[in-house]
Amino acid sequence: MAQKKMILDLDTGIDDAMAIAYAVADPDVDLIGIIGSYGNVYVEDGVINSLKILELLGATDVPVYQGLSHSSESDHFDRMPVSAQIHGENGIGEVDLPAPKRQPETGDAIDFFIDAVKKYGKDLILVPTGPLTNLDAAIKKAPEITNEIGNITIMGGAVTVPGNVTNVAEANIQQDATAADHVFRKAPLTQVGLDVTLRTLLTKKETQQWRNLGTKSGRAFADIVDYYIKAYEVTSPDLHGCALHDPFAVGVAINPNFVQTISLNMYVTTDEKYYGRTTGDPARLSDPNPNVKVAVNADVDAYLDAFMTHLTGLFKQH
């Protein structure tokens, strides 16, 4: 039983599945819950994917709650075709996993998170790797949680590199820039964005190691991630691998030494031309207490070693 507790806020596609595996495998945290979001998939599908992955990994004690199904700016969500291209129609590389035995929780996802902050305080880590709609809703409902929670580490944004949806916007932020702007202004957080996640790459050499284990989870994850690698060959052929976006955020949330950061007061632009850009807030440049740490450099070798150790060790068991 670890002292630190973790909640993941996921739109469970392929890298989210690896994020779940990392959180389950790392002995320094207890994964106490998952909140579903929209993005890579529709929220209902992401929740089922999370339950399937947890069952595959023998972590059926982790509850999964369905969060908000669309952005704070709209009344519905339309999945982008590129999401299906990268993650597969089912979100997990077209790999057919058994229907989960455990059902999604019937309680409110936002209340679950707020209650966890009240219970665990500084020992609680939240890692949102999708849009920030759920976190924004929680902060609006209970503003005091921003001072009570121990660690918020998000996967999202881009500061020193271009975005992956537009020239300035990264996908998670771009899904709900208004919610992201509120969070960036209100909450202390660490931003693990494209600046560093595009450096943490996995290849078929690593997935073959999982396949060679001969276990159900090793084969399934090898198939799932090979689909992701193949998609990257089309969308980002210059990378020569797939980026470990979401599992890197989980790793940094547990071990901040994986990255070097700069401290900034930030906001997210919501105007049409630069929608979804994460950047310094000109109104708070002189504020001596910046609330955001932006990861700008990564100890890639140390992280990849931890990633493979954690996931391979877990896959050996299931």
Side-chain angles (χ1 to χ4, degrees), residues 26 35 45 76-77 84 89-90 115 127 143 149-150 166 169 209 225 277 283 291 308 312 315:
D26 197 306
I35 299 172
D45 297 329
H76 72 288
F77 166 69
E89 284 293 340
N90 71 349
D115 291 344
V127 186
I149 193 169
T166 69
Q209 293 176 35
V225 179
R277 182 186 181 200
N291 65 308
M308 287 303 293
T312 305
F315 298 159

Coordinates of all heavy atoms in Angstrom, one line a residue, residues 26 35 45 76-77 84 89-90 115 127 143 149-150 166 169 209 225 277 283 291 308 312 315:
D26 N 3.6 0.9 -11.1 CA 4.6 1.6 -10.3 C 4.2 1.4 -8.8 O 3.1 1.7 -8.4 CB 4.5 3.1 -10.6 CG 5.8 3.8 -10.1 OD1 6.0 3.7 -8.9 OD2 6.4 4.5 -10.9
I35 N -11.3 8.4 -14.2 CA -12.4 9.2 -14.7 C -12.3 9.2 -16.2 O -11.3 9.5 -16.7 CB -12.3 10.6 -14.1 CG1 -12.4 10.6 -12.6 CG2 -13.5 11.5 -14.7 CD1 -12.1 12.0 -12.0
D45 N -17.1 4.8 -24.7 CA -16.2 3.8 -25.2 C -14.9 3.9 -24.4 O -14.3 2.8 -24.2 CB -15.9 4.1 -26.7 CG -17.1 3.9 -27.6 OD1 -18.0 3.1 -27.2 OD2 -17.2 4.6 -28.6
H76 N -22.3 18.7 -27.5 CA -22.0 17.4 -28.0 C -20.6 17.3 -28.4 O -19.8 18.3 -28.4 CB -22.9 17.1 -29.2 CG -22.5 17.9 -30.5 ND1 -22.7 19.2 -30.6 CD2 -21.8 17.4 -31.6 CE1 -22.2 19.6 -31.8 NE2 -21.7 18.6 -32.4
F77 N -20.1 16.1 -28.7 CA -18.7 15.9 -29.1 C -18.7 15.0 -30.4 O -19.4 14.0 -30.5 CB -17.9 15.2 -28.0 CG -16.6 14.6 -28.5 CD1 -15.6 15.4 -28.8 CD2 -16.4 13.2 -28.6 CE1 -14.4 14.9 -29.3 CE2 -15.2 12.7 -29.0 CZ -14.2 13.5 -29.4
A84 N -9.5 8.1 -35.0 CA -9.7 6.7 -35.4 C -8.5 6.1 -36.2 O -8.2 5.0 -36.0 CB -11.0 6.6 -36.2
E89 N -10.7 2.3 -34.6 CA -12.1 2.6 -34.4 C -12.5 2.4 -33.0 O -13.3 3.1 -32.4 CB -13.0 1.8 -35.4 CG -13.0 2.3 -36.8 CD -13.6 3.7 -37.0 OE1 -14.4 4.1 -36.1 OE2 -13.4 4.3 -38.0
N90 N -12.0 1.3 -32.4 CA -12.3 1.0 -31.0 C -11.4 1.7 -29.9 O -11.7 1.5 -28.7 CB -12.4 -0.5 -30.8 CG -11.0 -1.1 -30.7 OD1 -10.0 -0.5 -31.1 ND2 -10.9 -2.4 -30.3
D115 N -14.2 14.3 -3.5 CA -14.1 13.5 -2.3 C -12.7 12.9 -2.1 O -12.3 12.9 -0.9 CB -15.1 12.4 -2.3 CG -16.6 12.9 -2.3 OD1 -16.8 14.1 -1.9 OD2 -17.5 12.1 -2.6
V127 N -3.7 12.9 -12.8 CA -3.1 13.0 -14.1 C -4.2 13.0 -15.2 O -4.7 11.9 -15.6 CB -2.1 11.8 -14.3 CG1 -1.4 12.0 -15.7 CG2 -1.1 11.7 -13.2
P143 N -13.7 25.2 -5.5 CA -12.5 25.9 -5.8 C -11.3 25.6 -4.9 O -10.2 25.7 -5.3 CB -12.9 27.4 -5.7 CG -14.4 27.3 -5.9 CD -14.9 26.1 -5.3
I149 N -5.0 19.6 -3.1 CA -4.5 18.5 -3.8 C -2.9 18.6 -3.9 O -2.4 19.7 -3.9 CB -5.0 18.4 -5.2 CG1 -4.7 17.0 -5.9 CG2 -4.6 19.5 -6.1 CD1 -5.5 16.7 -7.1
G150 N -2.3 17.4 -3.9 CA -0.8 17.4 -3.9 C -0.2 17.6 -5.2 O 0.8 18.3 -5.3
T166 N -3.3 22.1 -34.7 CA -3.0 23.3 -35.5 C -1.5 23.6 -35.2 O -0.8 23.0 -34.5 CB -3.9 24.5 -35.1 OG1 -3.5 25.0 -33.8 CG2 -5.3 24.1 -35.2
A169 N -1.7 24.5 -31.4 CA -2.6 23.8 -30.4 C -2.3 22.3 -30.4 O -2.3 21.7 -31.5 CB -4.1 24.1 -30.7
Q209 N 9.6 -7.4 -27.3 CA 9.9 -8.0 -25.9 C 8.7 -8.4 -25.2 O 8.7 -9.4 -24.5 CB 10.7 -6.9 -25.2 CG 12.1 -6.6 -25.7 CD 12.8 -5.5 -24.9 OE1 12.7 -5.4 -23.7 NE2 13.5 -4.6 -25.7
V225 N 0.0 -1.6 -29.3 CA 1.0 -0.5 -29.6 C 1.6 -0.6 -31.0 O 2.0 0.4 -31.6 CB 2.1 -0.6 -28.5 CG1 3.1 0.5 -28.7 CG2 1.4 -0.3 -27.1
R277 N -3.7 27.6 -27.8 CA -2.3 27.8 -27.5 C -2.0 28.0 -26.0 O -2.7 28.7 -25.3 CB -1.8 29.1 -28.2 CG -0.3 29.3 -28.1 CD 0.0 30.7 -28.7 NE 1.5 31.0 -28.6 CZ 2.0 32.2 -28.7 NH1 1.2 33.2 -28.9 NH2 3.3 32.3 -28.6
A283 N -0.6 39.2 -18.5 CA -1.2 40.0 -17.3 C -0.5 39.6 -16.0 O -0.7 40.3 -15.0 CB -2.7 39.7 -17.2
N291 N 2.3 29.5 -11.2 CA 1.6 28.3 -10.8 C 1.8 27.1 -11.7 O 1.3 26.0 -11.4 CB 0.1 28.6 -10.7 CG -0.5 28.9 -12.1 OD1 0.0 29.8 -12.8 ND2 -1.6 28.2 -12.4
M308 N 9.9 0.5 -19.4 CA 10.0 -0.9 -19.9 C 10.1 -1.8 -18.6 O 9.5 -2.9 -18.7 CB 11.2 -1.1 -20.8 CG 11.0 -0.5 -22.2 SD 9.6 -1.2 -23.0 CE 10.1 -2.9 -23.3
T312 N 7.0 -4.3 -18.6 CA 7.4 -5.7 -18.8 C 7.2 -6.6 -17.6 O 6.7 -7.7 -17.7 CB 8.8 -5.7 -19.3 OG1 9.0 -4.9 -20.4 CG2 9.2 -7.2 -19.7
F315 N 3.5 -7.2 -17.3 CA 3.0 -8.1 -18.3 C 3.4 -9.6 -18.1 O 2.7 -10.5 -18.5 CB 3.4 -7.7 -19.7 CG 2.9 -6.3 -20.1 CD1 3.5 -5.6 -21.1 CD2 1.8 -5.8 -19.5 CE1 3.0 -4.3 -21.5 CE2 1.3 -4.5 -19.9 CZ 1.9 -3.8 -20.9

